[in-house]
Amino acid sequence: MKITTDHIHSSNKPLEISHAREFNFLAENLEKKGLNVEALIQKIQALQIAIPSWALGTGGTRFGRFSGGGEPSTLIQKIQDVGILHALNRSSDSISLHIPWDIPQDYDAILQAAAEVEISFDAVNSNTFQDQADQSLSYKFGSLANNDKSIRKLAIEHNKEVIRIGEKLGSKALTVWLADGSSFPGQHSFRKALQNTYESLLEIYQELPSDWKMLIEYKPYEPYFYSTVISDWGTSFLLANKLGDKAFTLVDLGHHLPNTNIEQIVATLMTEGKLGGFHFNDSKYGDDDLTVGSIKPYQLFLIFNELVTGFEETSNPTPAWMIDASHNLKDPMEDLLQSVEAIKLAYAQALIVDRKSLEAAQDGQDVGQGQEILQDAFRTDLRPLVRESIRQSGGAISPIQSYRDLKVRETLIKERGKDSKASGL
Amino acid sequence: MKITTDHIHSSNKPLEISHAREFNFLAENLEKKGLNVEALIQKIQALQIAIPSWALGTGGTRFGRFSGGGEPSTLIQKIQDVGILHALNRSSDSISLHIPWDIPQDYDAILQAAAEVEISFDAVNSNTFQDQADQSLSYKFGSLANNDKSIRKLAIEHNKEVIRIGEKLGSKALTVWLADGSSFPGQHSFRKALQNTYESLLEIYQELPSDWKMLIEYKPYEPYFYSTVISDWGTSFLLANKLGDKAFTLVDLGHHLPNTNIEQIVATLMTEGKLGGFHFNDSKYGDDDLTVGSIKPYQLFLIFNELVTGFEETSNPTPAWMIDASHNLKDPMEDLLQSVEAIKLAYAQALIVDRKSLEAAQDGQDVGQGQEILQDAFRTDLRPLVRESIRQSGGAISPIQSYRDLKVRETLIKERGKDSKASGL
Amino acid sequence: MKITTDHIHSSNKPLEISHAREFNFLAENLEKKGLNVEALIQKIQALQIAIPSWALGTGGTRFGRFSGGGEPSTLIQKIQDVGILHALNRSSDSISLHIPWDIPQDYDAILQAAAEVEISFDAVNSNTFQDQADQSLSYKFGSLANNDKSIRKLAIEHNKEVIRIGEKLGSKALTVWLADGSSFPGQHSFRKALQNTYESLLEIYQELPSDWKMLIEYKPYEPYFYSTVISDWGTSFLLANKLGDKAFTLVDLGHHLPNTNIEQIVATLMTEGKLGGFHFNDSKYGDDDLTVGSIKPYQLFLIFNELVTGFEETSNPTPAWMIDASHNLKDPMEDLLQSVEAIKLAYAQALIVDRKSLEAAQDGQDVGQGQEILQDAFRTDLRPLVRESIRQSGGAISPIQSYRDLKVRETLIKERGKDSKASGL
Amino acid sequence: MKITTDHIHSSNKPLEISHAREFNFLAENLEKKGLNVEALIQKIQALQIAIPSWALGTGGTRFGRFSGGGEPSTLIQKIQDVGILHALNRSSDSISLHIPWDIPQDYDAILQAAAEVEISFDAVNSNTFQDQADQSLSYKFGSLANNDKSIRKLAIEHNKEVIRIGEKLGSKALTVWLADGSSFPGQHSFRKALQNTYESLLEIYQELPSDWKMLIEYKPYEPYFYSTVISDWGTSFLLANKLGDKAFTLVDLGHHLPNTNIEQIVATLMTEGKLGGFHFNDSKYGDDDLTVGSIKPYQLFLIFNELVTGFEETSNPTPAWMIDASHNLKDPMEDLLQSVEAIKLAYAQALIVDRKSLEAAQDGQDVGQGQEILQDAFRTDLRPLVRESIRQSGGAISPIQSYRDLKVRETLIKERGKDSKASGL
């Protein structure tokens, strides 16, 4: 299935009048506050969030998985699914591949399929947390951090291979999520595991093309339950600093201990010029991988508030944006549309924060006023603005409604079958 | 493989002198404190912890599973594995089955296999958190709590079937872990889900044989990540109270929010006569399902301290004891031996607490002294006492060492093959 | 200082046109969705949140307190402060006293002062977590839970005294926050502490006038750091059930372990008819006592969503509403205005949830749609509706702005002095 | 009161035979394992833990404080109290002062008082989280991080003053616990607060004598409840790295989010040579400041296991050791004796870990064996070894029992009065 301009027009038609009324009222309000609506729209349009190839199928837990239907079973189908999403919301112009789940066989065909739906290739992701069928040595007790040199070598080579694949596709970053850790005190030496990891990353880093970035993810626990080698931003930052200018920290919203102030981490990393990218999702307990904005929308806004501040006040390079969620219960594509909308909404809210007044309130120790200013931005209903930005980009006023109206999933099931399943988690 | 008396004797031989020296020294110390060592040994011997059938194979996470070898692939093999454990530590004289993973085909053969290794059948466990291959309706959005009456009916019937299976095997309890919950606000009605659950449990309860118990487990999250219907002890207790005298709360040590005081929950439930059973494991973050005592041994002791207090001061019936862990990295059987040892050690420590002095310290508001008394029991090295209790029961002085010396795993791999895998999680 | 109708009019004047424009647009939108705006306004007006007498002064932590100025130093001044708040937002028509911080000396004068500012007396609060200067026995090691009968008796008598004071003022509820607990394993017996507490509460309960309620608060930790006797909703509910029909559970939003699903607790308690009241505040880490809605506004909405559902679907009596925060950094009165606004906003959002569609989505297992419906209500900017409801009640369109424009704090400092301090925490 | 050699001898007398029997048995066991008992004793003796001056009085919470009696009301009395502790356990040969609570008036008298009880002066602590009576500007909204330059200057000067005081007393380190943070989103700029903090610390650092260290503490929350400027080890480490070779991170065990793996942080900091010191205490929920080892003794052991490993494998300088607890319920001096004993016990356990076997188990991926080795060390009852090390140093076999037998508190009450209170928290 492919979404055409006609599809968009026909599904936008019945919403146009109501949307115009709401947008015009909002635009007037914003202009009154001295905001440039046109500029806001351009910024919102420019924010493009990559879709990970593994997010297009139904996810699960260790207790089971309840599949949906019509899932993409090949890389080209995954690209086509992202194409559908992008046609609808004009906000996801790239896909992020996960190797070895998505090793391209025919690069020309892959690149052509992507070009057809105006999709490029974002960061490539390595995987050393699972053994592949034909693998000579096991990652059961660690990969890049393993004390066994031959296992480390295997994992290093895999990462280099991922870079080579990415190069052929036009990717510009390697994301390393190193699951390595321990589940019991005494299982390994913290010191050696960290040292091994640094040395392994260094070997990979040296292979990195000059215009690439290495994004180092951190996570406190799972799949190991006592320690993770790269457990927090401090460890990732320490490694990125040692590795060099192309190494950065990647923040996954679900990878924090309870009550962590994530927005402060974002601010600190940007101050140091080391924020490399984001994995967006939401969570209540752990790495729950829920739809972005579904649990803590205010936190999401506060994070974007730091990002927008950082864009203005620091020289941190633009981070890579990606969703990383697990769609256990919802239609994955619909879930992704909800996530992207939540991200854009939070970004829009952050853009309208009255920063001058905020700074004045802060300088005047006016704590109540600081809160009022942030909440005013958050409370303002900016959905019409986000919708307008998508509409002007040629997308659907209400991507989710269009997705349903156009019967995308039903069509995909017809095309691919009810039992078609995506590879990955 | 079967462990014989000769196996035990030969592996005990080299340890006997050293053990006797340590035990005699300890026994003298304990007698000096006024403790009856013979009585302690009998109590420790009497504590028998059931082994769940699913714990005999390698577990995993949603990110992958790294299997071991020689795992039991049939129910009879699982029973034989428990038989090996019991022969070694004389502390696990029963197995707890999980339906439908372990539906018996030939009851006579099963019962005979169990009798051969002196194993009986503990609580049976129902499973409505996974769909079976041939299932007409899906549990994806809930089972006993589902708003759809026909799905509830399916789940109720399954539980009744589990009771019937248990009856044929001599079980006396049904454990219900209801995974039902929601991952997003708005997914279901808390009120209806609770009401549906109560009504479903009531139907099952009415089918319960008169000498059976229903054990209701609780858990705050996973596999759903916003809410679980039976999320905490309060909800389980509320349901157990409404259902009647045969319904009880079951405590799984890993099913609590961060920092929960589990020992207080144990004390409260026993005060109310509603503590039905235990799933032992250990954890640092969530439901990590680690080896018992591997992370928080002092908490384990404090829990047993409440249990021993409760045995003396309340009329709560003896709870069902079971391990419920996931053995992702260690040999499952060795892991189970470690867990049982940790449980017995904590029990022994709780038994030697000087309760009279503790009560006096409490009455005198002597907070420091209260701590000294508990820590004295915990700090005392009671391993020789636990070893002696097993030795006198005909088991191995050091079950784990014997397990290794007797090359149990190697033999099982030879017998069953390297790729033999257990059903279950 | 007293806020007059003139004050209100003059401060509303410059906001009227802009407010009318925004309200009219919103009202049109809401009516289009089939909502009755007039009815919404009446419901929002009817929600009155009591102000605790101790919240009118600057709070602190164990590390220090940084006082503001012009704080009320007498009970009458506290009543006047609530009068000012109520004149501004017409949403706080009662005060909740804390004994012994606010023991009335001259009841007639107190009642008259309250009548003058149209304030009545909400639940009275007992305090057995501090020793008073002249106290014969200490609560250091517990009060109602203490193993020492004479200390329990002292605490019971205090609670009875609080009831008598409340009766003279027209209160209809006693709130018991029992801080009793332990900081070390072994300090006290969980079982005895619970049993003592029950018996103490029973004695107090028997003294309760027939038209009164007893509200039993719970809290997991602080001021004790190992256990609290009434640590969670389950324990409070257990006690309330044993005590009788007039006993209820009170939920303080800050009194939960990390990640607790509070809205589910609300739903469960209402299902059982045992939700007695609320202490509103917000928190990120523990009992942080921050301004309502300042950290987790979506959670606040979800809680009100359960409340509104419960009002419709259960026979739970209307709960007592109260703020319980600590104003360490902001002007306490401004902080209270922010809190009340946040509460009313969350309530308004919950009122516009399309419950019929939500139920349909839930019955159809349409998880994505359930989220859309809730978020639509939350994302809608209902501030004009709340402002209109206050305006129609004779209050200020923007109470906080009026508070500042009218220079309330400056006037109070002039009247009472810069060093005037409130009693309490 | 002063503890004399006679006091020690007389209180040791009745314990000697029993102690000798236990120690000899243990020593034999340890020697059998190849351990050098004499060397162990020397190491345990060498571990000296500083006592903070503020820990000698009863602590409290924001809800109240229940004082004890006979507390030291002058700095000399505080030194004498530490002298008593040191005479009893020969393990606390220094005191750590907190300025301005303990500003010395007469240095000669202070130094002489300290010399009399063989006490020296450990790290000095600055305090910018409270305003002093005569303070020109307030720290209410921050000190070293404050955006107001004059407030920063005040706080910087205070720290310099603390260094000068420390120099006169022979201190060699300045501990900075910066409480600065925010309680509400929007209150301050994360970026500016961090930048201000760095610049303020740099000014102080430049004043640091060449043989001094600066120890930078971190804490996630309290007294501010949304963010703390130096919130985690990563931030402290970042600052210490920027400041230079004399700046280090200080770990307070209670200053972590739920479930943090503290032992891993210790290992990482030592690997980087940046672990500067420790504040020992224990906690279940937050910064509970409970007696060391009273809640999580196994975690304490695991931390010492990393310390001992780090001593052997890294070039990290020896950290400063200090207790930092709040004695709300117990006699502070008894509490400190318990804490020191718990620390020494954990250290002893870590010293007997069979590191060679552990390394072999780790290299062989023998996870079960790694656990066995650590738990063997932890389970071994080493109290006789710690007692012997104190006895050989001239201290009491059982310091706590001697403290009680010698009626220290009763004597202090007689000398100082029942209402004598310590300054500080």
Side-chain angles (χ1 to χ4, degrees), chain B residues 307-367:
Chain B
L307 286 165
V308 169
T309 309
F311 295 157
E312 289 174 9
E313 301 183 0
T314 78
S315 53
N316 193 87
T318 305
W321 313 103
M322 194 172 104
I323 289 168
D324 186 8
S326 181
H327 312 112
N328 304 354
L329 298 174
K330 296 179 188 168
D331 177 336
M333 291 177 76
E334 207 175 303
D335 202 330
L336 289 161
L337 291 173
Q338 286 185 318
S339 283
V340 170
E341 191 193 25
I343 291 169
K344 293 214 142 181
L345 201 49
Y347 180 48
Q349 290 163 339
L351 286 173
I352 69 160
V353 167
D354 182 349
R355 254 155 246 293
K356 214 169 148 180
S357 298
L358 182 60
E359 204 170 313
Q362 290 172 348
D363 284 343
Q365 314 286 27
D366 191 346
V367 181

Side-chain angles (χ1 to χ4, degrees), chain D residues 178-338:
Chain D
L178 182 68
D180 287 19
S182 70
S183 283
F184 297 97
Q187 180 178 331
H188 71 193
S189 155
F190 293 131
R191 194 184 53 70
K192 285 186 197 166
L194 184 59
Q195 185 62 19
N196 291 336
T197 298
Y198 167 63
E199 289 169 14
S200 298
L201 287 176
L202 188 58
E203 276 202 48
I204 299 163
Y205 185 86
Q206 286 160 348
E207 202 85 347
L208 213 60
S210 62
D211 59 344
W212 275 50
K213 289 180 189 166
M214 177 186 276
L215 308 177
I216 305 170
E217 204 164 344
Y218 60 89
K219 185 175 183 181
Y221 65 96
E222 195 205 25
Y224 296 93
F225 296 107
Y226 169 61
S227 73
T228 301
V229 179
I230 309 179
S231 60
D232 52 14
W233 77 266
T235 312
S236 167
F237 176 74
L238 182 161
L239 291 166
N241 262 343
K242 288 198 175 185
L243 288 170
D245 288 349
K246 294 183 291 183
F248 295 86
T249 295
L250 183 141
V251 176
D252 182 306
L253 296 188
H255 292 190
H256 299 88
L257 291 175
N259 306 339
T260 302
N261 188 322
I262 303 174
E263 50 270 33
Q264 185 177 13
I265 294 173
V266 169
T268 300
L269 286 171
M270 290 189 89
T271 298
E272 300 296 314
K274 279 295 191 187
L275 178 68
F278 259 90
H279 278 185
F280 288 107
N281 50 54
D282 210 339
S283 62
K284 185 168 177 65
Y285 302 101
D287 188 26
D288 308 337
D289 276 334
L290 301 180
T291 317
V292 182
S294 63
I295 303 291
K296 299 172 186 163
Y298 193 52
Q299 179 189 267
L300 184 68
F301 159 71
L302 292 172
I303 289 167
F304 267 99
N305 184 46
E306 291 309 319
L307 286 165
V308 169
T309 308
F311 295 156
E312 289 175 10
E313 302 182 0
T314 78
S315 53
N316 192 87
T318 305
W321 313 104
M322 193 172 104
I323 289 169
D324 185 8
S326 180
H327 312 112
N328 304 354
L329 298 174
K330 295 179 188 168
D331 177 336
M333 291 176 76
E334 207 175 302
D335 202 330
L336 288 161
L337 291 173
Q338 286 184 319

Side-chain angles (χ1 to χ4, degrees), chain A residues 124-422:
Chain A
V124 278
N125 301 266
S126 58
N127 172 342
T128 59
F129 55 87
Q130 291 179 325
D131 289 347
Q132 301 311 313
D134 55 345
Q135 196 168 309
S136 58
L137 297 161
S138 173
Y139 295 143
K140 182 169 188 171
F141 301 101
S143 58
L144 296 177
N146 203 307
N147 233 7
D148 182 328
K149 197 175 176 174
S150 51
I151 296 175
R152 287 206 303 278
K153 193 173 166 55
L154 192 72
I156 292 166
E157 288 310 315
H158 166 68
N159 273 276
K160 291 183 181 173
E161 169 74 11
V162 172
I163 294 173
R164 284 190 293 272
I165 291 171
E167 279 193 285
K168 295 189 199 153
L169 296 169
S171 293
K172 292 293 175 202
L174 169 72
T175 297
V176 179
W177 170 48
L178 182 68
D180 288 18
S182 69
S183 283
F184 297 97
Q187 182 179 332
H188 70 195
S189 154
F190 292 131
R191 194 184 53 71
K192 284 186 197 166
L194 184 59
Q195 185 63 19
N196 290 336
T197 298
Y198 167 63
E199 288 170 15
S200 298
L201 288 176
L202 188 58
E203 276 202 49
I204 300 162
Y205 185 86
Q206 285 161 348
E207 202 85 345
L208 214 60
S210 62
D211 59 345
W212 275 50
K213 288 180 189 167
M214 177 187 275
L215 308 177
I216 304 170
E217 203 164 343
Y218 59 89
K219 185 175 184 180
Y221 65 95
E222 196 207 24
Y224 295 92
F225 297 107
Y226 169 61
S227 73
T228 301
V229 178
I230 309 178
S231 60
D232 53 15
W233 78 266
T235 311
S236 167
F237 176 74
L238 181 162
L239 291 167
N241 262 343
K242 288 198 174 182
L243 288 170
D245 288 349
K246 296 183 289 183
F248 294 86
T249 294
L250 183 142
V251 177
D252 181 308
L253 296 187
H255 292 189
H256 298 88
L257 291 175
N259 305 338
T260 301
N261 188 321
I262 302 174
E263 50 270 33
Q264 184 176 13
I265 293 173
V266 169
T268 300
L269 286 171
M270 292 189 87
T271 299
E272 300 295 314
K274 281 294 192 189
L275 179 68
F278 260 90
H279 278 186
F280 288 106
N281 50 54
D282 211 339
S283 62
K284 187 167 175 66
Y285 303 101
D287 188 26
D288 307 338
D289 276 333
L290 301 178
T291 317
V292 183
S294 63
I295 303 290
K296 298 172 186 162
Y298 193 51
Q299 179 190 268
L300 185 67
F301 159 72
L302 293 172
I303 288 168
F304 268 98
N305 184 46
E306 291 310 319
L307 287 165
V308 169
T309 309
F311 295 157
E312 290 175 9
E313 302 183 359
T314 78
S315 54
N316 192 86
T318 306
W321 312 104
M322 193 173 104
I323 288 169
D324 186 8
S326 180
H327 312 112
N328 304 353
L329 298 174
K330 296 178 185 169
D331 177 338
M333 291 177 77
E334 207 175 302
D335 202 332
L336 289 160
L337 292 172
Q338 287 185 318
S339 283
V340 171
E341 191 193 26
I343 291 168
K344 292 215 143 182
L345 201 50
Y347 180 49
Q349 291 162 340
L351 286 172
I352 70 161
V353 167
D354 183 349
R355 252 154 249 292
K356 214 170 146 179
S357 299
L358 182 60
E359 205 171 315
Q362 290 172 348
D363 284 342
Q365 314 285 27
D366 191 344
V367 182
Q369 187 62 12
Q371 174 177 320
E372 289 292 308
I373 291 164
L374 288 185
Q375 294 223 337
D376 178 52
F378 178 71
R379 294 294 189 193
T380 304
D381 188 349
L382 294 176
R383 288 175 298 177
L385 182 68
V386 173
R387 287 186 197 122
E388 179 65 12
S389 78
I390 296 173
R391 196 192 65 80
Q392 289 189 16
S393 300
I397 291 172
S398 173
I400 295 161
Q401 196 174 320
S402 294
Y403 177 84
R404 291 189 164 205
D405 291 348
L406 296 169
K407 298 197 180 305
V408 176
R409 180 58 59 193
E410 292 85 337
T411 310
L412 291 175
I413 290 177
K414 248 181 250 161
E415 289 176 11
R416 299 173 184 165
K418 210 173 162 37
D419 295 331
S420 174
K421 285 195 183 57

Side-chain angles (χ1 to χ4, degrees), chain A residues 22-36:
Chain A
E22 289 175 7
F23 172 68
N24 290 335
F25 182 80
L26 173 62
E28 199 180 326
N29 285 352
L30 295 174
E31 297 279 359
K32 267 185 201 162
K33 290 185 173 178
L35 290 155
N36 180 338

